[in-house]
Amino acid sequence: MNEEEKMNQREWYDANYDLLLVKKREKAMDLCYEYNQLKPSDHEHRNQILGELLGYEPQGLTLLSPFMCDYGNHIHFGEDVFVNINSYFMDGGEIFIGNHVFIGPSCGFYTATHPLDADRRNQGLEKALPIHIEDDVWIGANVVILPNVCIGKGSVIAAGSVVTHDIEAYSLAAGVPAEIKKKLR
């Protein structure tokens, strides 16, 4: 199994030194750079670059610049999603964003986890685990979402929170680490 296959199978893989993965990340970074240099009103070119980066054309996506991701093709946007400025999608693992999701400025979605052992970590090893954001979620500014997390339908994540574990549907979560503060239904 090559390193990309290991990554896609959620196994430990060489994220730092595998030339194929490095080239794929460079291509995604180049496309993000191009996207970020375009005027917000240049919808045609922005959509063209997004289609190449993601591998599909999202419906009703508003993705403000700057935006950065590692690969692009592991990000799945639902319909009518709004992503504010300065977002980062570390998409070694799949990131699923549901319909009608609002993402505040400076949010990070991090699918990578690294070995605690320094020798293994220095070999460039990581494991990429998915993130799921269900429909109708609002994520406030400066939120960090860590690997293997699911945020349930209709939830709100307060600004500045760090989400380390699943959040039940229709919950208001806040804090570091984020905890449910209130049920919304």
Side-chain angles (χ1 to χ4, degrees):
M1 201 175 336
N2 68 31
E3 299 307 306
E4 184 175 23
E5 290 168 335
K6 291 177 191 175
M7 177 179 73
N8 293 333
Q9 292 296 315
R10 303 178 187 168
E11 296 180 13
W12 293 107
Y13 68 99
D14 177 358
N16 292 348
Y17 307 112
D18 181 72
L19 293 179
L20 175 66
L21 291 177
V22 169
K23 285 183 186 276
K24 286 187 174 214
R25 284 195 304 273
E26 285 176 347
K27 180 179 178 185
M29 286 188 282
D30 286 348
L31 289 168
C32 287
Y33 177 84
E34 288 179 44
Y35 184 83
N36 293 331
Q37 302 312 306
L38 292 172
K39 291 180 181 180
S41 60
D42 191 351
H43 302 292
E44 182 181 338
H45 289 112
R46 289 172 70 86
N47 289 338
Q48 179 183 6
I49 291 170
L50 271 183
E52 186 176 348
L53 180 65
L54 301 174
Y56 65 98
E57 293 183 25
Q59 300 300 305
L61 173 65
T62 301
L63 181 61
L64 301 183
S65 299
F67 162 76
M68 184 59 69
C69 66
D70 285 355
Y71 299 96
N73 64 325
H74 297 141
I75 305 170
H76 310 280
F77 289 108
E79 294 181 9
D80 301 319
V81 172
F82 177 85
V83 181
N84 214 317
I85 64 169
N86 203 36
S87 60
Y88 176 49
F89 288 72
M90 182 185 282
D91 66 319
E94 303 286 327
I95 300 174
F96 300 93
I97 308 292
N99 298 322
H100 310 288
V101 171
F102 296 94
I103 298 171
S106 300
C107 289
F109 298 80
Y110 301 96
T111 65
T113 185
H114 303 278
L116 297 178
D117 175 65
D119 290 334
R120 293 187 68 220
R121 193 169 51 247
N122 291 338
Q123 295 171 18
L125 294 177
E126 73 178 42
K127 187 184 290 188
L129 301 172
I131 293 172
H132 292 266
I133 311 298
E134 295 183 355
D135 295 345
D136 304 313
V137 169
W138 175 21
I139 299 171
N142 295 303
V143 168
V144 170
I145 300 175
L146 295 180
N148 213 28
V149 163
C150 179
I151 297 176
K153 179 179 174 78
S155 290
V156 175
I157 308 300
S161 297
V162 177
V163 184
T164 62
H165 59 274
D166 292 351
I167 302 296
E168 296 174 26
Y170 302 104
S171 298
L172 169 63
V176 180
E179 298 294 337
I180 295 174
K181 303 296 183 181
K182 175 180 176 179
K183 293 300 288 181
L184 301 175
R185 282 199 180 169

